[in-house]
Amino acid sequence: MIHSIVAYCWSADQFRAVAIPSLHKAKANHFPICLEMHNEIEGDYAYLSNLLQDFTTIPSIHKAWLFNSPGLQLQGMFAVSQPDLLTNKRRTSIVSCSILKESDSSVKFLWAPFPIEMSGVSMIVPSPSASKLLVIRNPENEAPCCFEIWSSSRREREFRIPQSLHGSVYDDGWFEGVSWNMDETCVAYVAEEPSPAKPTFNDLGSYKKGVCADKNLGYWKGQGDWEEDWGETYAGKRPPALFLININSGDVQEVKGIDKSLSIGQVVWAPFTEGSEHYLVFVGWSSKPRKLGIKYCSNRPCALYAVRVRALYHESKSNEPLLQSTEELHAVNLTQTISSAFFPRFSPDGKFLVFLSARSAVDSGVHNATNSLHRINWPTDGKLFQSSKIYDIIPVVMCAEDGCFPGLYCTALHNNPWLSDNCTMIISSIWHSSEVLLSVNVLSGEILHISPADSNFSWNLLTLDGNNIVAVSSSPIDVPQIKYGMAIEKVTSNTTWSWLNISSPIFRCSDKVISLLSSLQCTILRISVKDAHDCQTKGATKPFEAIFVSSKTKNKDVFDPLIVILHGGPQDVSLSYFSKYLAFLSSVGYSLLIVNYRGSLGFGEEALQSLPGKVGSQDVNDVLSAIDHVINLGLASPSKIAVMGISHGGFLTTHLIGQAPDKFVAAAAINPVCNFSLMIGTTDIPDWCYVEACGTIARNCFTLPPSAEDLTLLYSKSPISHVSKVKAPTLFLLGAQDLRVPIFDGLQYARALKEKGVEVKIIMFKNDIHALKRPQSDLECYLNIAVWFNKYCK
């Protein structure tokens, strides 16, 4: 046994965890990096693991808030996270600052000397006036959920909500919803509904009703009925339901009048005027006829609902309940004429309800597609109608002209995205291979690109300071930088924006990382389509893109090995922002070719819809075209090419090493799709298999058992059909708890390679899921990729 002390050492911007072993003789017990390895690559592991730690300790900002305190300076609060390898969790801290605005329009952020760790905190939600702070702590077991109400100087109240009322509060970014009412007396939120009662038996197996299942008393609890969940990342979670808590009394009740077949999320309070009713607006996803995987899948039908709530202000001394519900209080569907509606946002003046829609994804069956933005004029008298007119603000863009807005691709809307005119929203959206900031007028539909357009950087909105913007900007070779944006009015043209660099300790990194990144260069390449023909849509024939990262100091006659990196989805995209792990790979002597093949987000709906039914051919050809493009430009050698990808990127990786076996010297596949015909019976998204392999016409075929013809077609579109031609040594990184692409897919392909004598290595992450996002998994994954590629590419 090892006896050791763990010391957590904080600097002004980040922490490091250091294990101090005792003097007792003990066997080393490192987390699972100790693999069977040849002596000649042990040095590689040691050097690369030390360097990788320099990259992994760079923090990330997840949220930011600004507060106007009467008589005081503007205050900022940034939620920052870092991986903690020893506990295999992410640690969140709050970094605070004061913001000074000078007369010359300059802005200074005065940072607190140290961050404050938020240990055990699941969510923090300031009240509208910023006079209160709600802190939610979800339990890790059967303990109560804890709600804390803080003022500027102390904790005012604490409420412990037992599991009999509800489970953990959802903090997943999708079902998640916590909303204060305007007078700050009630909070609406989404939490797991309580678990149903399970049968109880005594030690002889006799059923007992109403008895506590205590083993010490001779009773045990049965399993009860199995219930479907929402798949990947939601395994074992109870359905999301809507609750209210009165922060004065601590009374909690589930909101009535909502159909039990709906899973609830993204709740907000509707505007309230004296004499009208109180309403909550939320998103509802139907569980009928069955639940399919919802993580990374915006193609699940959903609608906005409004439910009336009453008796919110009765104090606990009254016998009247927190909520009253009658037949007339049933939730109203506000968006019956559209198949998808989510992220509801009310304008500050209460006149408009704006929301995103993924109707293109829902109607076609692809798991993500081009979004649209819509508006409902909210009734001032509080009388809602199911037939409320829905106005299009941003329609689905099918095919944009060069340089024009390619369509809306949002992963979220900020909780408060509004400028002071009550009709302009600031939105982060994907534009080809970058994320950009847009201003959108919800009345006129005018869209302005407000982040700098002439760079390879990606931008993301953090928060607003009145009509000014706090954002973060980065590139594949530039660590994130906080930016402060101010609008500059011009008489003769549209408003332009001035962006200031804000000095911050948050993204401070080691001198070694700074030196390595400074030796790199990055560009975004446009690549022509080789297989264009007349029967394709215009969008399907337009160039796609790839991000190319390389050294700017190497001899031009000596090429670094090239790693081709392929995103999953396939309706996803690789963006030009800073990735610690890809920056690590580019810093250890590799050029990176990050391909956004046709079918990726950000290039218009026609290009995206060109891929379903053609996976394994169109996307494979695009990747090969991108490789040929950089070779023809004299940027890479054809003799030193490796390929890697996750999920559908793993599908492409295993397809490429089979279809072009002489092109690649090594491969790494993370939770790869290798056999549609096997996956279709085990995945949480069987509809995805049919749509990608057979086209959108087959989106509903998953409801029936696959025919022999179906299985033959699915097999023919799969990498497993080319496995006999593979030569490249291949590393497989698999999450044992993956519900999206269960491990049998990767294992079947890996075992087939072993049988034919191809070198294979499999690393199984027993407690991880599809994305392999646990800190130890992240580190071990990319460490092994670097060592594997060093072995065959250098």
Side-chain angles (χ1 to χ4, degrees):
M1 177 181 293
I2 292 180
H3 301 277
S4 63
I5 300 171
V6 177
Y8 293 102
C9 305
W10 287 85
S11 67
D13 56 319
Q14 55 187 253
F15 76 90
R16 287 179 180 271
V18 182
I20 308 170
S22 72
L23 296 178
H24 295 291
K25 292 183 179 180
K27 207 172 187 179
N29 184 28
H30 304 295
F31 48 80
I33 294 177
C34 295
L35 310 170
E36 290 187 11
M37 59 184 79
H38 300 296
N39 291 333
E40 64 268 21
I41 62 172
E42 285 186 352
D44 238 6
Y45 271 96
Y47 167 73
L48 292 171
S49 64
N50 287 332
L51 177 60
L52 184 51
Q53 288 177 45
D54 282 340
F55 283 90
T56 58
T57 54
I58 301 172
S60 302
I61 295 179
H62 289 288
K63 288 185 179 180
W65 303 266
L66 299 182
F67 306 102
N68 280 301
S69 302
L72 299 175
Q73 299 163 346
L74 184 67
Q75 304 293 310
M77 200 165 72
F78 294 78
V80 175
S81 73
Q82 278 184 279
D84 181 355
L85 291 170
L86 290 175
T87 63
N88 204 18
K89 296 179 180 179
R90 298 194 67 86
R91 297 166 72 96
T92 299
S93 60
I94 296 295
V95 181
S96 300
C97 67
S98 297
I99 301 172
L100 299 180
K101 298 179 182 179
E102 308 289 355
S103 57
D104 61 355
S105 297
S106 64
V107 178
K108 292 182 180 179
F109 283 45
L110 305 179
W111 298 94
F114 298 104
I116 304 298
E117 185 178 5
M118 303 295 285
S119 179
V121 173
S122 302
M123 299 177 71
I124 55 175
V125 187
S127 66
S129 70
S131 64
K132 300 181 181 73
L133 182 70
L134 170 63
V135 176
I136 299 175
R137 301 178 189 271
N138 281 328
E140 293 188 356
N141 46 39
E142 296 298 312
C145 185
C146 183
F147 279 49
E148 300 170 0
I149 307 297
W150 289 76
S151 65
S152 60
S153 60
R154 65 177 184 264
R155 185 178 62 188
E156 299 286 348
R157 294 178 181 83
E158 177 179 322
F159 305 111
R160 295 186 176 271
I161 303 166
Q163 296 278 328
S164 59
L165 285 179
H166 65 67
S168 293
V169 175
Y170 271 83
D171 59 354
D172 60 330
W174 190 240
F175 292 116
E176 175 184 327
V178 178
S179 182
W180 289 82
N181 66 345
M182 286 309 296
D183 65 3
E184 302 182 357
T185 58
C186 286
V187 174
Y189 60 97
V190 178
E192 294 182 52
E193 65 180 32
S195 298
K198 294 184 178 181
T200 303
F201 303 90
N202 65 12
D203 56 347
L204 300 176
S206 298
Y207 172 73
K208 299 293 180 180
K209 184 178 181 180
V211 177
C212 176
D214 189 334
K215 290 183 179 179
N216 295 325
L217 299 177
Y219 296 96
W220 53 279
K221 187 180 292 186
Q223 295 302 309
D225 294 347
W226 176 80
E227 291 185 80
E228 282 190 314
D229 53 41
W230 287 105
E232 177 73 9
T233 75
Y234 295 102
K237 290 186 73 68
R238 298 288 303 153
L242 184 54
F243 296 86
L244 278 175
I245 182 170
N246 183 311
I247 67 164
N248 295 315
S249 66
D251 290 335
V252 174
Q253 280 201 12
E254 184 174 357
V255 175
K256 309 300 181 183
I258 300 175
D259 193 311
K260 285 296 185 181
S261 68
L262 291 179
S263 287
I264 309 304
Q266 304 174 15
V267 62
V268 293
W269 285 92
F272 173 72
T273 55
E274 199 65 37
S276 65
E277 300 284 355
H278 294 271
Y279 281 95
L280 291 170
V281 172
F282 60 89
V283 183
W285 290 264
S286 177
S287 59
K288 296 178 180 179
R290 60 169 285 192
K291 293 177 181 176
L292 294 167
I294 202 169
K295 187 71 172 180
Y296 318 118
C297 297
S298 63
N299 61 327
R300 306 304 174 212
C302 56
L304 296 188
Y305 293 84
V307 64
R308 189 170 11 162
V309 289
R310 290 178 175 173
L312 293 173
Y313 304 104
H314 292 289
E315 295 297 331
S316 57
K317 61 185 179 182
S318 168
N319 292 324
E320 208 162 356
L322 180 68
L323 293 173
Q324 292 180 327
S325 178
T326 66
E327 290 299 319
E328 64 178 344
L329 299 186
H330 285 175
V332 176
N333 186 335
L334 302 174
T335 56
Q336 288 188 349
T337 60
I338 193 169
S339 58
S340 169
F342 54 95
F343 288 133
R345 297 292 183 265
F346 281 99
S347 60
D349 60 7
K351 292 182 179 179
F352 314 120
L353 173 59
V354 175
F355 61 92
L356 280 175
S357 175
R359 60 181 177 180
S360 287
V362 173
D363 297 345
S364 67
V366 298
H367 79 286
N368 283 312
T370 312
N371 296 139
S372 51
L373 189 69
H374 306 270
R375 183 188 85 238
I376 293 174
N377 293 337
W378 194 254
T380 55
D381 60 3
K383 295 181 180 179
L384 298 183
F385 300 96
Q386 290 184 332
S387 58
S388 297
K389 183 174 180 180
I390 297 174
Y391 297 88
D392 293 345
I393 302 171
I394 302 178
V396 171
V397 175
M398 300 305 293
C399 178
E401 296 301 322
D402 290 348
C404 295
F405 174 63
L408 188 63
Y409 301 90
C410 285
T411 56
L413 289 180
H414 194 274
N415 285 337
N416 182 22
W418 300 94
L419 299 185
S420 62
D421 63 1
N422 291 305
C423 63
T424 300
M425 302 177 75
I426 305 299
I427 295 176
S428 300
S429 182
I430 297 164
W431 188 308
H432 296 173
S433 297
S434 299
E435 188 169 27
V436 303
L437 298 181
L438 305 174
S439 73
V440 179
N441 187 304
V442 302
L443 293 178
S444 67
E446 179 186 39
I447 303 166
L448 298 178
H449 184 311
I450 63 174
S451 52
D454 56 347
S455 73
N456 294 329
F457 284 70
S458 280
W459 292 66
N460 188 260
L461 175 66
L462 288 177
T463 190
L464 295 180
D465 173 20
N467 287 328
N468 300 328
I469 298 172
V470 181
V472 64
S473 171
S474 69
S475 85
I477 59 173
D478 296 277
V479 295
Q481 167 80 54
I482 295 176
K483 303 280 188 174
Y484 190 90
M486 296 179 287
I488 301 173
E489 300 289 344
K490 289 192 174 182
V491 177
T492 57
S493 63
N494 288 326
T495 300
T496 62
W497 287 76
S498 171
W499 294 96
L500 304 177
N501 292 329
I502 301 300
S503 177
S504 161
I506 295 175
F507 300 114
R508 192 174 295 152
C509 50
S510 70
D511 291 341
K512 184 189 298 183
V513 169
I514 293 172
S515 175
L516 288 169
L517 293 177
S518 68
S519 68
L520 301 174
Q521 58 188 350
C522 173
T523 187
I524 297 178
L525 306 172
R526 283 172 58 85
I527 301 160
S528 298
V529 173
K530 284 186 176 179
D531 59 354
H533 49 80
D534 292 340
C535 63
Q536 289 178 307
T537 60
K538 181 180 177 181
T541 63
K542 294 179 77 69
F544 59 97
E545 291 184 351
I547 302 166
F548 186 68
V549 181
S550 63
S551 170
K552 60 185 179 185
T553 60
K554 286 290 185 75
N555 186 328
K556 291 185 178 180
D557 295 327
V558 179
F559 297 107
D560 284 333
L562 178 68
I563 303 177
V564 180
I565 298 173
L566 306 169
H567 66 73
Q571 290 84 29
D572 203 337
V573 66
S574 292
L575 293 171
S576 61
Y577 54 48
F578 184 75
S579 161
K580 305 173 196 179
Y581 299 103
L582 299 189
F584 161 71
L585 290 177
S586 59
S587 296
V588 295
Y590 291 96
S591 296
L592 308 182
L593 181 65
I594 307 166
V595 184
N596 286 321
Y597 44 86
R598 283 174 294 164
S600 302
L601 299 177
F603 295 85
E605 187 68 4
E606 287 183 355
L608 185 145
Q609 293 288 356
S610 70
L611 184 56
K614 300 174 186 174
V615 295
S617 54
Q618 177 178 297
D619 45 4
V620 166
N621 290 335
D622 283 353
V623 176
L624 293 174
S625 294
I627 295 170
D628 291 341
H629 185 76
V630 294
I631 292 173
N632 293 337
L633 290 175
L635 301 175
S637 167
S639 63
K640 295 188 292 183
I641 302 175
V643 60
M644 61 175 284
I646 181 171
S647 192
H648 187 85
F651 169 90
L652 285 175
T653 295
T654 48
H655 250 306
L656 285 159
I657 59 177
Q659 292 193 42
D662 297 319
K663 207 169 191 74
F664 304 96
V665 296
I670 306 169
N671 287 326
V673 176
C674 298
N675 187 350
F676 283 133
S677 59
L678 173 62
M679 178 180 168
I680 200 164
T682 57
T683 180
D684 64 336
I685 52 168
D687 57 321
W688 178 88
C689 298
Y690 275 106
V691 168
E692 299 307 329
C694 310
T696 59
I697 194 173
R699 60 185 178 274
N700 293 320
C701 291
F702 75 96
T703 59
L704 299 173
S707 65
E709 293 77 12
D710 290 339
L711 293 173
T712 299
L713 177 60
L714 291 166
Y715 183 88
S716 70
K717 293 293 183 77
S718 302
I720 195 78
S721 65
H722 299 280
V723 71
S724 63
K725 298 175 282 185
V726 175
K727 300 177 183 177
T730 305
L731 170 66
F732 291 86
L733 302 132
L734 308 176
Q737 306 303 316
D738 187 353
L739 301 180
R740 182 60 42 91
V741 186
I743 58 172
F744 314 111
D745 239 50
L747 286 176
Q748 183 189 54
Y749 189 97
R751 287 165 175 161
L753 290 185
K754 279 186 175 182
E755 288 294 326
K756 67 185 297 293
V758 176
E759 186 165 356
V760 167
K761 183 174 185 176
I762 302 170
I763 298 177
M764 186 75 69
F765 299 92
K766 293 184 178 179
N767 298 311
D768 221 327
I769 55 176
H770 188 59
L772 296 186
K773 283 301 182 184
R774 293 164 68 93
Q776 291 178 11
S777 305
D778 254 349
L779 185 137
E780 192 175 359
C781 179
Y782 282 91
L783 174 60
N784 277 281
I785 287 171
V787 171
W788 187 256
F789 287 166
N790 277 359
K791 182 177 179 181
Y792 296 103
C793 299
K794 292 187 176 180

